[in-house]
Amino acid sequence: MKRITALLTLFLAMAFASCKSDKNGSENPFFAEWDTPYGVPPFDRIVPAHFLPALERGMSLHDAEIDAITSNNDDATFENVILAYDDSGQMLAQTALIFGMLCEAENTPEMQALQEQVMPLLAAHADKIRLNERLFERVKAVYDQRAALDLDAEQSRLLEKTYREFVRAGALLDAGQKARLKEINGELSLAAVKFGQNILAENNNYALVLASTDLDGIPSNVRDQAREKAEALGEKGKYAFTLHKPSLIPFLTYSQKRELREEIYKAYLNRGNNGDKYDNKQLINDFIRLRTEKAHLLGYPSYAAYVVADEMAGTTDAVYKLLDEIWTPALESAKGELAEMEVLFKKDFPEGEFASWDWWYYAEKVRKQKYELDEEMLRPYFSLENVQGGIFFLANRLYGITFRPVIVPLYHPDAIAYEVLDADESHLGVLYFDYFPRDGKSQGAWCGNYVEQTYRDGKRVAPVVSIVCNFTRPTSNSPALLTLDETETLFHEFGHALHFLFHDVKYRGLTEVEGDFVELPSQLMENWAFEPELLKQYAVNYRSKDAVIPEYLVAKLRRSELFNQGFMTTELIAAALSDMDIHSTTEYAPFDPMEFERQALTEKRGLIPQIEPRYRYPYFSHIFDGGYSAGYYFYTWAEVLDKDVFEAFRESGDLFNKKIADDFRRKILARGGSEDGMTMYRAFRGKDPDKRAMLRSRGLWNEPEPEPADSLGMPIAGEEPK
């Protein structure tokens, strides 16, 4: 998931619906209350020109609300300071939330120009609020008397988080430091916009256009996709492959033309690194220079230390300890996988050197050889319609919720929407799906809100949630048929959606959880994706409609669970390490990001040249414009949690155990950030997380031999297995 709250944190955490427009579109839809079904945004009436006036009015209203808090001569109390602050800025938050979501999903040239204008304004406004000395003085006055206040647990948590938010934003700095911090935040906001726009341009500007004679090995459904893409580009009779994953990965997996695999993969790897107007290397220098200076201003040795101090991990040492523990066995496993593939490679190229663009092609050959299994055998059973149905089935089995298609305003014709009904058929929220790549949409997949769950006048405001993906499109000959990776991705993003939909948080300031906790609900859902009991419910051949995936294919799929795990784990951890390393800079000096990456991964840690990190710096959107700076480790940290949670279901003997699911909903999903993540986790699981389940799932843990017993039958203490 791409975290899209990076530059809008203050506003997105506050979002809720409070606006609307007339039907002829002459009035700005953000200036009145909405009359749309289920309170969804009136996308049919919103145009880019509406955003700047609405954001400006929202900032003005927010200023007035803050002035009311700071000019109040009464003693500072929880109600007139903390609650008043929590309630402030609602129009701005709602408008900024929609703007941020659309900038990811539907980023037209007009929206791009608006981004460059708006993001520094929002950054400056956030600083104006959080660096307001009188406001912080009143927040601190309440915080200092917290022990004497009769606050419940959630109120105490809100007070603590509010105070910490101000401190981490620079409230304790002197006037000169605050002025510099504002400059830094403004520059960072603009750098993030430019970085993302450069990647979008690089993705859209490349196409490998081929003749039919260049398609040896390419399956028919992939050819159909490429033919239709070429036609859209005005290349009738040709076949076009792009840098979007649904096009790139099948080409790397099946094309027998090694020189073409090299060409498209190098184009992918060099996005933002071509020395042209879309080159991101100077922006990366700007990010590290500014973030390091910001960390120093706030009293931290590095930006990584600043970020991690507010997460579950707490310290960079804890992050590195986990990553390093996985890195060595993962790399060794990947080397073993490479050795297997090189045997096949040498048959084709006796004098050649195995390269990174060969990995997918020969990995697929190994899978066929070892497991008699390939993606094309499986794809007919994983139509998008079936996978979505399987997810709905799973959610119903676990939580009793159901999904009903609804007609509501859409921000793009590709989007579809469902009302989500709770077990008692009460309205839980609205869920949009937006599945396919297009110009203007960022790469990858993510889940976010258009309307955040909150309470207004004592009533729950239901969230409006959106899952956005870049999946294989349907063709004239077949529906959208998903790969195993795309299937797992949809389960993942749906887990985020459930987290949003189940939120039942009283205060807006308690919405967000720690970054390294946020991936727990999403990654947990992945564990069910290929369980045989669930596959029987949704993996049905799209041609026959009633041919459930046969048991022999399920058995092959299960046997191949650890296939290529060394590679996948290595490229994941490589990206997390490169993120931590670059943000652990303590003294900035101009540097070459590509040389920094080489030294960090190849020289220091021995990354083999046949594997590239999952993201290289010039297109590492997560950490430069996506909210995961010094946080790409979040996925791995949360994987320890999600695998341990799934163990609870396994241990119960029922993978659809409703009692465990209900506990998980009540104690974690519904609570948002009402408590810290580890406290909520322990309340659910009854113990600390055990990382062995994660290591075992990646093939990095072998159960130790039983310990020898003494004469009384008691185990003899020994060293913990590595």
Side-chain angles (χ1 to χ4, degrees), residues 262-400:
E262 178 181 3
E263 179 180 339
I264 195 170
Y265 193 50
K266 282 184 172 179
Y268 176 81
L269 291 177
N270 286 316
R271 290 174 298 159
N273 184 34
N274 293 306
D276 56 15
K277 65 180 181 179
Y278 302 122
D279 194 289
N280 275 333
K281 292 194 293 295
Q282 181 54 52
L283 284 173
I284 293 168
N285 269 264
D286 294 340
F287 276 115
I288 301 308
R289 172 176 56 83
L290 293 166
R291 286 174 174 172
T292 303
E293 184 181 356
K294 178 175 180 174
H296 290 171
L297 280 173
L298 295 169
Y300 293 88
S302 68
Y303 192 74
Y306 165 71
V307 170
V308 176
D310 206 38
E311 308 296 353
M312 290 180 72
T315 67
T316 56
D317 286 347
V319 175
Y320 276 119
K321 183 177 185 295
L322 176 64
L323 297 179
D324 290 342
E325 184 174 357
I326 299 170
W327 173 258
T328 300
L331 185 58
E332 288 306 306
S333 178
K335 289 177 180 177
E337 294 164 358
L338 175 61
E340 284 187 282
M341 293 186 290
E342 282 187 318
V343 173
L344 301 177
F345 176 80
K346 289 297 184 182
K347 291 180 181 178
D348 295 337
F349 303 98
E351 305 301 320
E353 290 290 332
F354 193 102
S356 56
W357 49 86
D358 295 315
W359 196 288
W360 282 267
Y361 182 75
Y362 285 96
E364 189 66 12
K365 282 181 172 289
V366 169
R367 178 156 58 179
K368 289 180 181 178
Q369 186 180 82
K370 288 184 70 172
Y371 305 105
E372 297 179 322
L373 184 70
D374 66 69
E375 287 267 15
E376 294 310 302
M377 296 168 61
L378 297 168
R379 270 195 165 191
Y381 297 96
F382 293 92
S383 71
L384 177 56
E385 180 182 2
N386 285 354
V387 175
Q388 180 182 291
I391 288 171
F392 287 175
F393 173 86
L394 175 61
N396 181 259
R397 280 286 299 270
L398 292 175
Y399 302 109

Side-chain angles (χ1 to χ4, degrees), residues 1 394 488-497 499 515-529 572 614 628 631-646 664 669 694 697-698:
M1 163 192 165
L394 175 61
E488 197 168 68
T489 295
L490 188 51
F491 274 80
H492 177 107
E493 300 306 336
F494 188 77
H496 283 305
H499 199 183
D516 41 15
F517 194 75
V518 77
E519 298 296 337
L520 164 59
S522 55
Q523 292 179 177
L524 175 63
M525 292 297 287
E526 295 177 31
N527 289 279
W528 278 278
L572 171 70
R614 183 167 295 183
Y628 276 62
Y632 198 69
Y633 82 90
F634 290 174
Y635 294 97
T636 306
W637 189 274
E639 189 175 353
V640 174
L641 307 179
D642 85 71
K643 291 296 186 290
D644 192 54
V645 170
F646 197 64
F664 189 70
L669 297 180
M694 181 274 288
S697 73
R698 289 189 174 271

Side-chain angles (χ1 to χ4, degrees), residues 411-422:
Y411 63 88
H412 190 277
D414 280 353
I416 55 176
Y418 291 83
E419 181 189 11
V420 185
L421 300 172
D422 212 337

Side-chain angles (χ1 to χ4, degrees), residues 629-703:
S629 50
Y632 198 69
Y633 82 90
F634 290 174
Y635 294 97
T636 306
W637 189 274
E639 189 175 353
V640 174
L641 307 179
D642 85 71
K643 291 296 186 290
D644 192 54
V645 170
F646 197 64
E647 281 295 293
F649 286 91
R650 288 195 186 283
E651 290 164 0
S652 78
D654 178 8
L655 291 183
F656 305 101
N657 189 304
K658 287 182 178 292
K659 182 182 184 305
I660 296 175
D662 182 63
D663 276 354
F664 189 70
R665 173 177 175 174
R666 287 186 299 103
K667 295 177 180 178
I668 291 181
L669 297 180
R671 302 215 58 206
S674 299
E675 288 187 284
D676 69 89
M678 189 57 76
T679 298
M680 290 192 294
Y681 188 88
R682 289 172 180 143
F684 163 73
R685 194 69 169 99
K687 66 182 185 68
D688 285 343
D690 185 339
K691 64 177 176 291
R692 286 178 296 181
M694 181 274 288
L695 294 171
R696 191 163 51 241
S697 73
R698 289 189 174 271
L700 305 178
W701 172 272
N702 293 317
E703 294 294 342

Side-chain angles (χ1 to χ4, degrees), residues 372-637:
E372 297 179 322
L373 184 70
D374 66 69
E375 287 267 15
E376 294 310 302
M377 296 168 61
L378 297 168
R379 270 195 165 191
Y381 297 96
F382 293 92
S383 71
L384 177 56
E385 180 182 2
N386 285 354
V387 175
Q388 180 182 291
I391 288 171
F392 287 175
F393 173 86
L394 175 61
N396 181 259
R397 280 286 299 270
L398 292 175
Y399 302 109
I401 62 175
T402 54
F403 301 81
R404 184 180 70 177
V406 289
I407 298 174
V408 293
L410 305 174
Y411 63 88
H412 190 277
D414 280 353
I416 55 176
Y418 291 83
E419 181 189 11
V420 185
L421 300 172
D422 212 337
D424 61 1
E425 298 194 350
S426 62
H427 178 72
L428 196 59
V430 171
L431 177 58
Y432 285 83
F433 291 97
D434 179 1
Y435 284 126
F436 306 120
R438 58 177 176 269
D439 292 347
K441 181 192 278 192
S442 296
Q443 279 212 354
W446 62 92
C447 179
N449 282 324
Y450 280 108
V451 175
E452 191 98 51
Q453 179 271 321
T454 188
Y455 274 84
R456 183 170 53 186
D457 299 328
K459 292 184 178 180
R460 181 179 183 268
V461 174
V464 177
V465 183
S466 180
I467 290 176
V468 187
C469 305
N470 283 276
F471 288 161
T472 305
R473 278 189 174 274
T475 70
S476 57
N477 298 322
S478 69
L481 302 177
L482 302 189
T483 64
L484 296 180
D485 183 65
E486 289 173 331
T487 298
E488 197 168 68
T489 295
L490 188 51
F491 274 80
H492 177 107
E493 300 306 336
F494 188 77
H496 283 305
L498 288 180
H499 199 183
F500 288 133
L501 289 163
F502 286 149
H503 266 186
D504 194 16
V505 181
K506 185 176 180 180
Y507 303 114
R508 294 159 67 210
L510 297 182
T511 296
E512 292 192 348
V513 301
E514 297 97 326
D516 41 15
F517 194 75
V518 77
E519 298 296 337
L520 164 59
S522 55
Q523 292 179 177
L524 175 63
M525 292 297 287
E526 295 177 31
N527 289 279
W528 278 278
F530 306 119
E531 283 291 332
E533 192 173 349
L534 185 61
L535 284 172
K536 292 175 184 177
Q537 299 296 327
Y538 80 90
V540 179
N541 195 302
Y542 79 94
R543 295 188 183 95
S544 63
K545 303 295 184 184
D546 58 357
V548 176
I549 187 170
E551 289 189 8
Y552 79 89
L553 276 184
V554 175
K556 289 181 178 182
L557 190 58
R558 299 289 284 181
R559 284 199 302 272
S560 67
E561 279 182 339
L562 297 180
F563 166 74
N564 213 31
Q565 273 294 330
F567 168 79
M568 290 188 285
T569 306
T570 298
E571 64 156 9
L572 171 70
I573 302 301
L577 287 168
S578 67
D579 168 35
M580 286 300 295
D581 283 357
I582 203 169
H583 284 109
S584 293
T585 298
T586 56
E587 296 296 335
Y588 169 79
F591 67 100
D592 176 359
M594 311 318 297
E595 177 62 17
F596 186 100
E597 177 186 279
R598 187 189 68 78
Q599 290 182 8
L601 297 178
T602 305
E603 286 194 10
K604 181 179 179 181
R605 297 185 175 91
L607 179 64
I608 56 180
Q610 293 85 359
I611 298 179
E612 299 288 348
R614 183 167 295 183
Y615 298 102
R616 305 189 76 187
Y617 289 132
Y619 57 87
F620 206 160
S621 198
H622 284 76
I623 68 171
F624 292 121
D625 74 312
Y628 276 62
S629 50
Y632 198 69
Y633 82 90
F634 290 174
Y635 294 97
T636 306
W637 189 274

Side-chain angles (χ1 to χ4, degrees), residues 68-321:
I69 298 172
T70 59
S71 62
N72 189 337
N73 293 321
D74 294 340
D75 290 342
T77 66
F78 180 82
E79 287 73 19
N80 68 20
V81 177
I82 305 303
L83 281 187
Y85 174 73
D86 194 58
D87 287 337
S88 69
Q90 294 182 7
M91 178 190 175
L92 176 60
Q94 178 63 87
T95 308
L97 188 62
I98 294 172
F99 179 72
M101 288 286 288
L102 290 181
C103 282
E104 294 292 333
E106 191 59 15
N107 206 2
T108 63
E110 191 175 358
M111 288 288 283
Q112 289 185 12
L114 193 57
Q115 254 189 310
E116 295 187 36
Q117 184 178 6
V118 161
M119 299 311 284
L121 293 176
L122 291 176
H125 179 75
D127 283 335
K128 181 181 178 182
I129 302 296
R130 292 179 297 195
L131 299 178
N132 184 314
E133 292 184 8
R134 175 60 178 154
L135 178 61
F136 179 63
E137 181 181 296
R138 289 182 67 77
V139 169
K140 187 175 184 301
V142 181
Y143 182 76
D144 287 345
Q145 59 175 320
R146 61 192 181 281
L149 301 177
D150 187 21
L151 302 180
D152 63 27
E154 284 187 281
Q155 291 170 332
S156 295
R157 173 74 169 166
L158 178 63
L159 173 57
E160 178 189 335
K161 288 193 74 171
T162 303
Y163 177 78
R164 186 166 175 78
E165 172 196 322
F166 277 85
V167 172
R168 285 181 58 80
L172 296 178
L173 302 181
D174 63 33
Q177 292 171 323
K178 287 178 179 178
R180 178 56 187 149
L181 183 60
K182 291 177 183 179
E183 293 174 351
I184 290 172
N185 289 338
E187 291 181 57
L188 284 171
S189 70
L190 204 52
V193 171
K194 186 62 176 173
F195 189 95
Q197 291 182 357
N198 285 346
I199 295 175
L200 185 63
E202 292 278 71
N203 290 335
N204 291 337
N205 290 344
Y206 178 88
L208 179 64
V209 180
L210 303 175
S212 59
T213 52
D214 292 320
L215 302 182
D216 293 351
I218 303 293
S220 59
N221 69 301
V222 180
R223 293 186 184 210
D224 290 342
Q225 293 275 347
R227 185 188 68 252
E228 293 183 7
K229 179 62 178 178
E231 288 179 1
L233 295 174
E235 296 279 359
K236 193 170 178 63
K238 300 284 189 177
Y239 299 80
F241 295 87
T242 71
L243 302 182
H244 293 280
K245 289 292 183 70
S247 180
L248 172 74
I249 299 301
F251 191 86
L252 292 174
T253 303
Y254 297 110
S255 174
Q256 295 175 8
K257 302 274 189 176
R258 188 177 187 233
E259 69 280 5
L260 295 179
R261 297 200 308 269
E262 178 181 3
E263 179 180 339
I264 195 170
Y265 193 50
K266 282 184 172 179
Y268 176 81
L269 291 177
N270 286 316
R271 290 174 298 159
N273 184 34
N274 293 306
D276 56 15
K277 65 180 181 179
Y278 302 122
D279 194 289
N280 275 333
K281 292 194 293 295
Q282 181 54 52
L283 284 173
I284 293 168
N285 269 264
D286 294 340
F287 276 115
I288 301 308
R289 172 176 56 83
L290 293 166
R291 286 174 174 172
T292 303
E293 184 181 356
K294 178 175 180 174
H296 290 171
L297 280 173
L298 295 169
Y300 293 88
S302 68
Y303 192 74
Y306 165 71
V307 170
V308 176
D310 206 38
E311 308 296 353
M312 290 180 72
T315 67
T316 56
D317 286 347
V319 175
Y320 276 119
K321 183 177 185 295

